[in-house]
Structure formats: structure tokens, C-alpha cells
Amino acid sequence: MTHYPYVIVGGGMTADAAARALRETDPSGAVCLISAERHPPYARPPLSKGLWKGEPESGIWRGTESAGVALRLSRRITGIDTQRRTVTDERGDAVTYGKLLLATGGTPRRLPLESEQMIYFRTYDDYRRLRALANERLRFAVLGGGFIGSEIAAALRMAGRDVVMLVPEDGLGARVFPADLSHALVDYYREQGVEVRTGEGLAGLTPRGGKVVLRTTGGQDVPVDVVVAGLGIQPNVVLAEQAGLRVENGIVVDEGLQTSVPGIYAAGDVANFFNPALGARMRVEHEDNANTMGAAAGRAMAGQGAPYTHLPFFYSDLFALGYEAVGELDPRYDIVADWKQPFREGVVYYLRDGRVRGVLLWNTWGQVDAARALIALPGPVSADALKGRLPA
Ligand SMILES: Cc1cc2nc3c(=O)[nH]c(=O)nc-3n(C[C@H](O)[C@H](O)[C@H](O)COP(=O)(O)OP(=O)(O)OC[C@H]3O[C@@H](n4cnc5c(N)ncnc54)[C@H](O)[C@@H]3O)c2cc1C
């Protein structure tokens, strides 16, 4: 059985960042990265953005293999033996580890309704499939008005395709944006030619002559050729649970990113960590966290750990609009909106008990660190004091 001082389970951006940090921090310690995907690590955000706007596919690859990391691809780890320090894949092959990182990310939420025309969008292979279909004059349904649904609907529309969105909430991004912005975004999508059906989810699905007819919760039939689901993800925690690690909305880690079992770490979309600025535990499904936390986990595994205090930011592009955001974007909080141009350019603050918990920088750039500083303030801030604070 091969032994590696460092083993990483997962083949996403977190795994790549950890592998690189390990190589830098401990050049003599061999690193093995084991991924269920058949491709080496790549950036996911361009799959729903840049690649649809002409960016080359060659730009997504992380080049992990040339960083001196042993890659085992198309291998799904099915068991961890914490006593013997081994991980075993579905073919029965095992390696032993000194330190282990779980960077297993998340899997798209699925519906009980299955169809060959349904794509649960997450991977490069999903992108390739959808991209090939988008070259044909087909009609696409997008389920969900969150991050992935909104981005994919925009991408397909920009490719000139007919797109209908089924959005159970009454606006787009309704779980993160205040109601007025979420409604304005629906208008904006309609102006771009997307048919947005708010307040309607999927109730049923019937294949019919190569197409599929969606029955909406409003009782309407919507015939389409392809359905893309963007219904969020579930963290891949089964391995951790089976190994007896503490799991609670993700794999629970301490400030040094170690799980409840010494020598095993977790990072990225799958990890539940404490953020001191917010004074709360959180699990973040975004790129900045994958990169930063992955690298921090790598350094920690190599003995150069430091408390993970980073408050990650996230971003998205929606046609010509774009944003960056930090902290908790909970539309149930008190909202202070500071628009330079309503719903086109400005800053939205999310306050709880007078303290800033989240900041949405809408078509406003270069203010992420200033937004982090506001969230770190120990006391309340008045709405007046926030106006004009972060210039667009
Ligand atoms: C289309 C798309 C667009 C996005 N756009 C943005 C954006 O604009 N901004 C932003 O901030 N974030 C964005 N994100 C989110 C960001 O990409 C994720 O936060 C990031 O990819 C998480 O990385 P991860 O490595 O933690 O998890 P994942 O990317 O989920 O990777 C997990 C890896 O582990 C592997 N794996 C799981 N279980 C096992 C096992 N048992 N054995 C072996 N391998 C296993 C999986 O196959 C996968 O390779 C986007 C995500 C997607 C899908």
C-alpha cells in the first residue's frame, strides 16, 4: 500500500489550493490528490460565465499536475479508516496518509423527477453537454432563480436561445437580495428576453416526443427541449459521517481547520467553520473561500497553521450587471440601500441589531476590504453614517 504524508480527497479548487500550499510549505512531503472526476482540478465559475462570453476553455485548468502532485482521477473514496490512517476507493485500492484533507465539496440537489433532458449543472462535463445543446435552436427551461439558475439563464440567453425560468420565489436571488432589487432583477431579465415565471416551481415532468413537458405548480404546461436545474448543493459529508467525524451543516472544523479527528482536516464548500468577525459558524459555497481556506488547510497540514479568520467574498455576473458581496446577505435583516442609480449601481447594507452583517456591492468594485472592515466594527452604525461610505 502506498504511503503519502499528505492525502487530499477531492478534485476541486479547494483541493488544488491545498495541494499547492503543501508543496510550497513542505517541498519534501509527497502529496496525493484523489478525485472522483475524470478531469484534473479546474475553476468552476467560468462554466456559467466567462466560457459563454468567449473566454478560452484552456484558461480553466489549474495545472495541479505540474505542481508535483500525484493525481488519482476517476477514483471515488468510499471509506476512511481513522485508526489505520487509510482511504480506500470504490475499486478497493487504498493509500495510507500522514495527514488527510477532505475537500469533497457539494453535489447538486436533485428532484425526485428524473429525465434524460435534465442537467444538474456543476461540472465541466455538464458545461460541455449544455454548450453542445446550446448550439442547436432548442428551448431551455432553467429551474431556480439563485446563483446558478440566474447565471445559466443569462448565459443561454446570451447564446441566443429561448429561455424560460421557473422560480418558486417571487423574485430572482430572493434569498439574498432585498425584495425591491429581486423584483427589479426579474424586470431586467425580462427586458433581456428571458421568460421568468415567478411564484412557480416544478410539479411534474412528462417526456413527449424528444421534448419534455413541465407541469408547473401553477398548473401550467411548459414544453421545452432541455431542463437545467440550479437548486443549490448539498455538502458531501457521507465519508466524514461514516468515519465518525463531527458533521453539522458540513464537516465541523476548528480555527486551525482540523476536524474532530486529529490529523484530518476539511476545507471549502464542505467545511463548517467559525468566523470571528460575524461571531458565527458558517459554510460558504464560493470561490474565494475555496482558494483561501484550501491554502490555509494545506499550510496547517504542513505544520504552518494559523487561525482561519478570513471573511470570504463572493461575486456573480448577470448579463451586464455584476456584484461582489461579503458577509451575511439575509434579506430579513434591516436593509440600508445606497443607490447611485437604482438597481444598477450602488451598495446595500444588511444590518442586525444595528451592526453591519453583510454588504452587497452592486456594480461597485474595489470595496471588498472596506466592506469587511465595516462588518468587523464592534458597535452599531447608523443608516445615515452608511450613506456614501463605500463610493461606487
Ligand atoms: C457553475 C458554477 C459557477 C460558480 N460561480 C461562482 C462565482 O461566480 N463566484 C463564486 O464565488 N463562486 C462560484 N461558484 C462556487 C465555487 O465554484 C465553489 O465554491 C468551489 O468550486 C468549491 O470548491 P470545492 O473544491 O470546495 O468543492 P467542489 O468544487 O464541489 O469540488 C469537490 C471535489 O471533490 C470530489 N469528490 C467528492 N467526493 C469525493 C470522494 N468521495 N472521492 C473523491 N473525490 C470526491 C468531487 O468530484 C469534486 O471534484 C460556482 C460554482 C459553479 C458550479
Side-chain angles (χ1 to χ4, degrees), residues 199-215:
E200 285 198 271
L202 184 67
L205 178 153
T206 317
R208 196 179 291 164
K211 289 186 181 285
V212 59
V213 179
L214 307 182
R215 168 57 62 96

Side-chain angles (χ1 to χ4, degrees), residues 33-228:
L33 182 154
I34 307 169
S35 174
E37 285 187 73
R38 65 192 177 101
H39 304 288
Y42 54 88
R44 292 194 199 279
L47 304 181
S48 53
K49 288 184 272 302
L51 297 190
W52 298 84
K53 295 179 186 164
E55 280 176 22
E57 281 187 26
S58 56
I60 68 171
W61 305 104
R62 290 281 170 128
T64 324
E65 58 280 19
S66 44
V69 176
L71 295 190
R72 292 192 177 203
L73 303 178
S74 301
R75 298 278 182 145
R76 180 169 294 281
I77 296 298
T78 50
I80 304 172
D81 184 331
T82 56
Q83 297 301 311
R84 295 167 57 209
R85 293 196 163 219
T86 59
V87 294
T88 305
D89 67 27
E90 80 263 70
R91 299 185 210 173
D93 293 335
V95 297
T96 59
Y97 60 84
K99 302 262 175 70
L100 175 67
L101 174 67
L102 297 179
T104 47
T107 303
R109 260 193 209 103
R110 300 179 84 89
L111 295 167
L113 308 162
E114 284 298 334
S115 152
E116 285 205 342
Q117 280 98 333
M118 180 91 96
I119 300 176
Y120 292 95
F121 198 85
R122 179 83 181 163
T123 65
Y124 175 62
D125 288 338
D126 297 333
Y127 163 76
R128 297 284 299 175
R129 186 175 164 208
L130 185 62
R131 189 69 207 227
L133 290 164
N135 288 333
E136 298 174 43
R137 293 211 158 275
L138 300 174
R139 181 167 154 79
F140 293 81
V142 174
L143 308 180
F147 293 104
I148 298 296
S150 303
E151 289 189 1
I152 288 294
L156 288 167
R157 189 65 203 131
M158 285 189 291
R161 301 283 75 100
D162 260 5
V163 183
V164 52
M165 293 182 83
L166 296 193
V167 180
E169 299 84 20
D170 64 0
L172 289 174
R175 292 191 188 157
V176 287
F177 302 141
D180 55 357
L181 175 57
S182 167
H183 296 155
L185 210 46
V186 173
D187 296 340
Y188 177 71
Y189 265 58
R190 287 179 178 152
E191 282 162 24
Q192 309 301 319
V194 179
E195 182 184 341
V196 187
R197 290 171 168 252
T198 52
E200 285 198 271
L202 184 67
L205 178 153
T206 317
R208 196 179 291 164
K211 289 186 181 285
V212 59
V213 179
L214 307 182
R215 168 57 62 96
T216 74
T217 47
Q220 304 289 310
D221 283 344
V222 182
V224 295
D225 299 286
V226 182
V227 187
V228 188

